[in-house]
Amino acid sequence: MKKTFLHIPAVFAALLLCLACSDDKLKVIPKGKMAKIYAEMLVMDQWAVSEPHLRQTADTSLIYEPIFEKYGYDGEDYRFSVEHYMNDPERFSRILRTTSEILDGRINELRELQKTQKRQEEISRFVTDFVIG
Protein backbone atom coordinates (compact mmCIF):
# COMPACT_ATOMS: atom_id res chain seq x y z
CA MET A 1 0.00 0.00 0.00
CA LYS A 2 2.80 2.42 0.84
CA LYS A 3 4.49 1.66 -2.48
CA THR A 4 1.39 2.86 -4.35
CA PHE A 5 1.49 6.22 -2.63
CA LEU A 6 5.20 6.57 -3.40
CA HIS A 7 4.42 6.47 -7.12
CA ILE A 8 1.90 9.30 -6.94
CA PRO A 9 4.54 12.09 -6.81
CA ALA A 10 6.38 10.47 -9.72
CA VAL A 11 3.16 10.21 -11.76
CA PHE A 12 2.26 13.78 -10.86
CA ALA A 13 5.72 15.00 -11.92
CA ALA A 14 5.44 13.08 -15.21
CA LEU A 15 2.00 14.59 -15.81
CA LEU A 16 3.35 18.10 -15.21
CA LEU A 17 6.22 17.40 -17.59
CA CYS A 18 3.77 16.23 -20.28
CA LEU A 19 1.63 19.33 -19.78
CA ALA A 20 4.69 21.55 -20.02
CA CYS A 21 5.70 19.83 -23.25
CA SER A 22 2.21 20.06 -24.70
CA ASP A 23 2.25 23.83 -24.08
CA ASP A 24 4.99 24.11 -26.71
CA LYS A 25 2.94 21.99 -29.12
CA LEU A 26 0.00 24.34 -28.69
CA LYS A 27 2.16 27.09 -30.17
CA VAL A 28 2.78 25.17 -33.40
CA ILE A 29 0.58 26.67 -36.08
CA PRO A 30 -1.21 23.92 -38.03
CA LYS A 31 0.03 23.33 -41.57
CA GLY A 32 -3.11 24.66 -43.26
CA LYS A 33 -3.11 27.87 -41.27
CA MET A 34 0.63 28.23 -41.77
CA ALA A 35 0.14 28.10 -45.54
CA LYS A 36 -2.59 30.75 -45.35
CA ILE A 37 -0.37 32.93 -43.16
CA TYR A 38 2.51 32.61 -45.65
CA ALA A 39 0.18 33.53 -48.52
CA GLU A 40 -0.96 36.66 -46.71
CA MET A 41 2.62 37.52 -45.75
CA LEU A 42 3.69 37.33 -49.40
CA VAL A 43 0.82 39.56 -50.47
CA MET A 44 1.74 41.99 -47.67
CA ASP A 45 5.37 41.97 -48.88
CA GLN A 46 4.28 42.92 -52.39
CA TRP A 47 2.04 45.66 -51.06
CA ALA A 48 4.89 47.07 -48.95
CA VAL A 49 7.24 47.00 -51.96
CA SER A 50 4.67 48.81 -54.09
CA GLU A 51 4.39 51.63 -51.55
CA PRO A 52 7.62 53.68 -51.83
CA HIS A 53 7.19 55.36 -48.45
CA LEU A 54 6.86 51.95 -46.76
CA ARG A 55 9.93 50.34 -48.31
CA GLN A 56 12.33 52.11 -46.00
CA THR A 57 10.23 52.25 -42.86
CA ALA A 58 8.34 48.94 -42.94
CA ASP A 59 9.19 46.83 -39.93
CA THR A 60 8.20 43.29 -40.83
CA SER A 61 7.18 42.50 -37.29
CA LEU A 62 4.68 45.35 -37.42
CA ILE A 63 3.20 44.50 -40.80
CA TYR A 64 2.98 40.74 -40.12
CA GLU A 65 1.60 40.89 -36.58
CA PRO A 66 -1.99 41.62 -37.71
CA ILE A 67 -1.82 38.54 -39.95
CA PHE A 68 -0.70 36.36 -37.05
CA GLU A 69 -3.41 37.83 -34.82
CA LYS A 70 -6.07 37.17 -37.48
CA TYR A 71 -5.34 33.47 -37.08
CA GLY A 72 -5.01 33.62 -33.28
CA TYR A 73 -1.21 33.57 -33.04
CA ASP A 74 1.67 35.98 -32.47
CA GLY A 75 5.21 36.43 -33.74
CA GLU A 76 6.63 34.01 -31.18
CA ASP A 77 4.18 31.32 -32.24
CA TYR A 78 5.18 31.93 -35.85
CA ARG A 79 8.91 31.67 -35.13
CA PHE A 80 8.38 28.56 -33.02
CA SER A 81 6.32 27.00 -35.82
CA VAL A 82 8.94 27.80 -38.46
CA GLU A 83 11.60 26.11 -36.32
CA HIS A 84 9.28 23.14 -35.84
CA TYR A 85 8.54 22.72 -39.54
CA MET A 86 12.14 23.32 -40.62
CA ASN A 87 13.04 20.11 -38.79
CA ASP A 88 10.99 18.24 -41.40
CA PRO A 89 11.89 19.68 -44.82
CA GLU A 90 9.32 17.56 -46.66
CA ARG A 91 6.47 18.84 -44.48
CA PHE A 92 7.76 22.41 -44.83
CA SER A 93 7.89 21.92 -48.60
CA ARG A 94 4.22 20.79 -48.59
CA ILE A 95 3.28 23.92 -46.66
CA LEU A 96 5.00 26.06 -49.29
CA ARG A 97 3.28 24.15 -52.11
CA THR A 98 -0.07 24.75 -50.42
CA THR A 99 0.84 28.44 -50.09
CA SER A 100 1.55 28.54 -53.82
CA GLU A 101 -1.80 26.88 -54.56
CA ILE A 102 -3.60 29.44 -52.39
CA LEU A 103 -1.92 32.31 -54.22
CA ASP A 104 -2.59 30.74 -57.65
CA GLY A 105 -6.25 30.33 -56.72
CA ARG A 106 -6.50 33.94 -55.61
CA ILE A 107 -4.81 35.13 -58.82
CA ASN A 108 -7.32 33.13 -60.87
CA GLU A 109 -10.21 34.63 -58.87
CA LEU A 110 -8.88 38.13 -59.51
CA ARG A 111 -8.46 37.42 -63.23
CA GLU A 112 -12.06 36.20 -63.45
CA LEU A 113 -13.23 39.29 -61.58
CA GLN A 114 -11.27 41.46 -63.97
CA LYS A 115 -12.88 39.71 -66.96
CA THR A 116 -16.33 40.18 -65.44
CA GLN A 117 -15.69 43.88 -64.82
CA LYS A 118 -14.42 44.31 -68.37
CA ARG A 119 -17.57 42.65 -69.76
CA GLN A 120 -19.75 44.88 -67.59
CA GLU A 121 -17.92 47.98 -68.86
CA GLU A 122 -18.39 46.82 -72.47
CA ILE A 123 -22.11 46.24 -71.89
CA SER A 124 -22.42 49.63 -70.22
CA ARG A 125 -20.71 51.34 -73.19
CA PHE A 126 -22.94 49.44 -75.62
CA VAL A 127 -26.11 50.45 -73.75
CA THR A 128 -24.91 54.07 -73.45
CA ASP A 129 -24.08 54.19 -77.17
CA PHE A 130 -27.41 52.59 -78.06
CA VAL A 131 -29.46 54.98 -75.89
CA ILE A 132 -27.50 58.10 -76.86
CA GLY A 133 -26.71 57.12 -80.42
Side-chain angles (χ1 to χ4, degrees):
M1 182 104 159
K2 288 184 181 182
K3 288 183 182 181
T4 304
F5 289 112
L6 290 175
H7 294 290
I8 291 175
V11 171
F12 185 69
L15 181 62
L16 284 176
L17 182 61
C18 288
L19 289 174
C21 292
S22 69
D23 184 45
D24 285 345
K25 291 185 184 230
L26 292 175
K27 290 184 175 182
V28 173
I29 301 170
K31 295 178 291 190
K33 285 187 179 181
M34 194 70 166
K36 290 177 184 178
I37 288 171
Y38 274 135
E40 290 191 33
M41 289 172 70
L42 290 168
V43 170
M44 183 65 74
D45 281 343
Q46 289 303 305
W47 176 75
V49 167
S50 70
E51 298 292 324
H53 66 281
L54 290 177
R55 281 186 224 159
Q56 296 154 354
T57 60
D59 179 357
T60 55
S61 64
L62 295 176
I63 64 173
Y64 294 149
E65 199 64 37
I67 296 170
F68 303 145
E69 289 173 4
K70 174 181 175 182
Y71 291 94
Y73 299 98
D74 61 24
E76 287 184 33
D77 295 332
Y78 170 75
R79 285 184 287 285
F80 183 80
S81 298
V82 169
E83 288 177 23
H84 173 78
Y85 289 122
M86 290 298 280
N87 290 326
D88 185 350
E90 182 57 36
R91 186 168 29 174
F92 191 69
S93 176
R94 286 192 302 264
I95 291 170
L96 295 179
R97 278 194 297 270
T98 302
T99 300
S100 178
E101 291 167 4
I102 291 168
L103 291 170
D104 288 343
R106 185 64 181 137
I107 288 169
N108 289 335
E109 288 173 17
L110 292 172
R111 284 184 179 147
E112 287 302 315
L113 180 62
Q114 190 176 31
K115 286 179 187 177
T116 301
Q117 287 175 338
K118 188 175 181 179
R119 279 188 227 126
Q120 288 174 343
E121 289 171 4
E122 289 171 355
I123 291 170
S124 178
R125 279 194 303 271
F126 175 77
V127 169
T128 301
D129 289 347
F130 183 76
V131 170
I132 294 174

